[in-house]
Amino acid sequence: MIRDITIGQYYQTKSVIHRLDPRVKLLGTLLFIIALFTYNNPVGYIIGIIFLCTVIKLSHVPFKFITKGLKGIILILCFTVLINLFLTPGTPIIAFWKITITYEGLAVAFSMILRLTMLIMGSSIVTLTTTPNNLTDGLEKGMGFMKIFRVPVGDVAMMMSIALRFIPILLEETDRIMKAQLARGADFESGNIVKKAKALVPVLVPLFVSAFRRAGDLAMAMEARCYRGGDGRTKMKPLVYKKRDAIAYIILFTFVIVSIWLGRWSVITDFFRSIYMNLFGCPL
Amino acid sequence: MPLILDHVCQIYNADTETPVKALDDVNLVIPEGQFIGVIGHTGSGKSTLIQHMNGLILPTSGSVYFNGRDITDKDFDKKELRKHVGLVFQYPEHQLFETDVFEDVCFGPKNMGMSKKETELAAFEALRKVSFPEDLYYASVFELSGGQKRRAAIAGVLAMKPDFLILDEPTAGLDPVGRCEILDMVSELHRSAGITIILVSHSMEDVAMYVERVIVMDKGRVAYDDVPREVFSHSEELEQMGLAIPEPAKITRELLKRGFDVDPGVLTSSEAADSIYKALTKNR
């Protein structure tokens, strides 16, 4: 069950998306997420879905693999949907007892589902197609301008890459410890929440101990190799923009501008309509 | 109550582009009372194999029978199986979590539903069987040496009073004295308590000294399954699998090639010494 978590995992295969510069992918995700939260009509979502599906298709990562990452947020998803569904004021569709479902609530809930699933899928595409090393390289270089504000970008990048590198190790460790405790008759599945939480103690304690042990060993190994901070370290394979990255940027910006423009079109028209109303005192 | 593996296959990452066939059509019968060694190179499927024996991993195809019942059945009680088939993982000391040694050893029997008195009795008995120093019963696990921690962890499994005890590389990371002590202890358990022992190791020497049956794993298949003498007579094949035959056997084999009249089937250094001595005195 621990292997179901796909966030932060890398899927080994060859594709255009895999070969793209990590900076393109990182900026792309950021813009994609911003765009997602600006839409307020179906046209925007449709364009967004088409874009996402095209990227997934191009990445050669099986669709099943990407949706696996959604399992983790299903609870949050249900929660947001319910809150939005019942607590949004507006024109009621169904009303009985104290519960009213409004037309607006339905619309908000639906768009929330779309936004969250697309957000998760969009960001898992980046981690699935980029090796952790490449990802931090991209972050380090992309965030290079932050050095002006005395942000230790190199150190932060090193921390990130270590953290990312440790995700699979710790997952594997968790899996092993869970199995070892299962072999001693531990039960992680039955019982209520309190019992389940208590059952995790035999896993969490050894996990923390081993995480600290590993961190200590790593620090020692880094010092033994004269690590003196991330600033000014050179790369064996420095990131260089290629032609395909330029093309990707063009496609990306076109998508973002067009989708935001179309996705918010009604707002824009409504805005002009209201100005017209105020100026001339009659509808357009 | 024999343990039977019938055409067991296990494929990891079946849904990705890089599926790994960890076990390939494994057929084994493990009767009670044997002392078995499982050897194989890293990645040969040893660890996967033993996890099938107590239901931590279920086979992709094929079945495992314990006590005449298929363990993959929905209504099969895996806890009951794990009580009878104890599994000690590699580096078992990493899974200790309680405040003191005694409490940790109690974890297994407590999970098995024994009463407080039974649990404590079982824990005492287990700690005595692994000859754990009595003055350290209530010491914190962090105060122990490597060998002591390992004893405590083995006692944790032994306290459940299993009929089968599977040990995955119980001597890994210990000094030669500690290795001998642990192996002697395991051998003593087999002799005095009549527990079926399955000892997983990549070291031929360890295995040759103690076991009565050797299972050699190679690329997920059972390559040999026989008494040690027979298995070690295939020295060339074993070396191709990345396994070295025990040093004493190697020396006598080499001497035989050079015209000395020694027994090529020796397993331990004392047997080799005797055989070489005889050969030398005969020549005189």
Side-chain angles (χ1 to χ4, degrees):
Chain A
M1 57 189 178
I2 223 85
R3 289 174 198 277
D4 285 345
I5 301 165
T6 51
I7 298 171
Q9 260 184 19
Y10 177 65
Y11 184 88
Q12 178 91 43
T13 183
K14 281 185 182 135
S15 80
V16 188
I17 307 290
H18 281 74
R19 278 195 300 269
L20 277 184
D21 192 288
R23 284 169 288 179
V24 182
K25 288 187 258 190
L26 283 167
L27 187 70
T29 331
L30 189 68
L31 289 177
F32 179 68
I33 291 169
I34 291 172
L36 270 184
F37 281 85
T38 60
Y39 301 154
N40 58 8
N41 68 29
V43 182
Y45 289 112
I46 290 167
I47 298 175
I49 290 169
I50 292 171
F51 180 74
L52 189 63
C53 288
T54 322
V55 174
I56 292 171
K57 191 83 201 149
L58 282 175
S59 73
H60 294 301
V61 179
F63 195 69
K64 202 168 55 174
F65 219 82
I66 296 161
T67 46
K68 249 196 212 167
L70 289 174
K71 267 187 208 160
I73 60 148
I74 216 143
L75 211 72
I76 305 170
L77 211 60
C78 292
F79 189 69
T80 6
V81 166
L82 287 180
I83 292 274
N84 280 310
L85 201 57
F86 294 126
L87 298 180
T88 315
T91 22
I93 310 172
I94 306 163
F96 66 92
W97 192 43
K98 280 176 185 169
I99 299 164
T100 41
I101 295 174
T102 62
Y103 172 76
E104 283 82 358
L106 204 64
V108 171
F110 193 66
S111 66
M112 249 5 228
I113 296 180
L114 279 176
R115 275 176 189 168
L116 285 177
T117 45
M118 282 163 82
L119 185 144
I120 294 290
M121 284 165 81
S123 32
S124 25
I125 269 288
V126 177
T127 50
L128 281 168
T129 58
T130 321
T131 57
N133 265 339
N134 251 327
L135 206 60
T136 40
D137 273 5
L139 271 177
E140 190 178 354
K141 210 134 184 224
M143 293 282 160
F145 67 91
M146 296 284 274
K147 276 185 196 150
I148 307 165
F149 308 111
R150 301 196 164 217
V151 177
V153 179
D155 287 337
V156 174
M158 177 54 85
M159 280 187 240
M160 284 242 345
S161 63
I162 290 171
L164 284 172
R165 181 65 192 82
F166 267 60
I167 290 173
I169 293 178
L170 288 179
L171 278 180
E172 209 169 286
E173 186 97 4
T174 315
D175 203 49
R176 240 195 34 216
I177 297 171
M178 275 178 114
K179 273 183 180 163
Q181 306 297 23
L182 273 174
R184 294 210 280 165
D187 188 355
F188 301 116
E189 261 125 51
S190 62
N192 55 22
I193 283 192
V194 180
K195 215 177 155 199
K196 270 186 191 164
K198 265 190 186 160
L200 281 180
V201 173
V203 177
L204 291 180
V205 174
L207 190 63
F208 270 100
V209 173
S210 95
F212 278 113
R213 193 185 56 237
R214 277 176 199 283
D217 289 352
L218 182 67
M220 196 99 84
M222 283 168 80
E223 270 189 356
R225 293 177 203 181
C226 306
Y227 178 79
R228 47 162 188 84
D231 215 25
R233 278 166 62 90
T234 49
K235 294 260 170 351
M236 189 171 156
K237 290 175 189 163
L239 290 177
V240 182
Y241 278 129
K242 301 249 168 55
K243 199 178 162 194
R244 58 170 171 266
D245 299 313
I247 298 168
Y249 268 132
I250 294 168
I251 296 171
L252 187 67
F253 283 119
T254 322
F255 156 75
V256 169
I257 291 164
V258 168
S259 77
I260 292 182
W261 180 58
L262 287 174
R264 292 191 68 81
W265 201 38
S266 64
V267 172
I268 297 162
T269 47
D270 285 351
F271 181 66
F272 281 115
R273 238 182 236 142
S274 64
I275 290 176
Y276 189 87
M277 272 273 279
N278 286 334
L279 283 178
F280 302 103
C282 67
L284 191 68
Chain B
M1 288 188 290
L3 198 57
I4 299 167
L5 280 79
D6 181 33
H7 295 286
V8 169
C9 291
Q10 179 65 49
I11 299 163
Y12 289 135
N13 298 335
D15 55 345
T16 63
E17 279 186 8
T18 50
V20 181
K21 211 164 191 184
L23 287 184
D24 187 3
D25 195 34
V26 171
N27 297 292
L28 287 173
V29 177
I30 294 157
E32 261 183 298
Q34 276 192 337
F35 193 153
I36 301 170
V38 177
I39 46 178
H41 200 250
T42 316
S44 59
K46 294 170 293 179
S47 296
T48 311
L49 175 74
I50 54 167
Q51 287 179 48
H52 279 81
M53 292 179 181
N54 78 344
L56 285 174
I57 304 180
L58 295 177
T60 314
S61 68
S63 20
V64 180
Y65 298 96
F66 177 69
N67 207 3
R69 292 198 56 196
D70 190 342
I71 70 161
T72 49
D73 275 353
K74 279 260 152 55
D75 59 336
F76 184 85
D77 186 5
K78 291 215 181 61
K79 224 175 191 176
E80 190 62 24
L81 171 71
R82 285 170 194 153
K83 181 178 152 58
H84 289 291
V85 184
L87 174 57
V88 181
F89 273 86
Q90 219 176 95
Y91 296 104
E93 59 270 26
H94 291 173
Q95 76 217 26
L96 300 172
F97 71 98
E98 280 285 8
T99 43
D100 62 58
V101 174
F102 189 75
E103 280 296 311
D104 201 90
V105 176
C106 284
F107 181 68
K110 220 189 295 172
N111 284 329
M112 290 306 157
M114 292 189 199
S115 71
K116 195 163 185 278
K117 211 167 190 177
E118 277 177 312
T119 301
E120 284 176 359
L121 268 173
F124 268 120
E125 208 184 311
L127 280 167
R128 220 182 31 241
K129 269 187 194 156
V130 298
S131 38
F132 190 80
E134 248 165 69
D135 50 329
L136 290 174
Y137 277 16
Y138 297 101
S140 158
V141 286
F142 297 108
E143 292 167 21
L144 307 178
S145 72
Q148 286 166 341
K149 276 189 205 170
R150 193 152 302 178
R151 275 159 199 274
I154 294 173
V157 173
L158 214 55
M160 298 189 296
K161 301 185 176 168
D163 307 314
F164 291 76
L165 184 65
I166 307 170
L167 299 121
D168 191 357
E169 305 262 3
T171 58
L174 292 183
D175 54 87
V177 179
R179 275 168 60 163
C180 271
E181 280 176 3
I182 293 278
L183 288 173
D184 281 338
M185 180 204 87
V186 171
S187 166
E188 183 58 33
L189 281 174
H190 174 245
R191 209 170 28 243
S192 64
I195 302 175
T196 314
I197 307 272
I198 299 168
L199 183 72
V200 178
S201 178
H202 64 257
S203 149
M204 289 278 191
E205 246 103 304
D206 284 0
V207 170
M209 293 249 275
Y210 297 94
V211 304
E212 54 188 280
R213 172 182 171 193
V214 176
I215 296 168
V216 181
M217 296 293 295
D218 183 43
K219 292 176 192 128
R221 287 169 170 275
V222 176
Y224 297 104
D225 178 5
D226 215 326
V227 292
R229 191 176 283 262
E230 272 304 309
V231 170
F232 295 139
S233 65
H234 302 277
S235 63
E236 276 102 53
E237 289 94 329
L238 287 174
E239 253 160 49
Q240 269 176 11
M241 294 173 196
L243 295 164
I245 59 167
E247 239 14 88
K250 216 175 186 172
I251 289 170
T252 48
R253 242 160 248 276
E254 208 52 44
L255 285 171
L256 193 72
K257 265 189 212 159
R258 312 244 163 130
F260 287 89
D261 183 26
V262 288
D263 177 11
V266 299
L267 297 173
T268 63
S269 45
S270 59
E271 276 175 36
D274 280 349
S275 173
I276 293 169
Y277 179 75
K278 256 185 220 156
L280 286 175
T281 46
K282 212 190 313 180
N283 278 3
R284 241 175 238 166

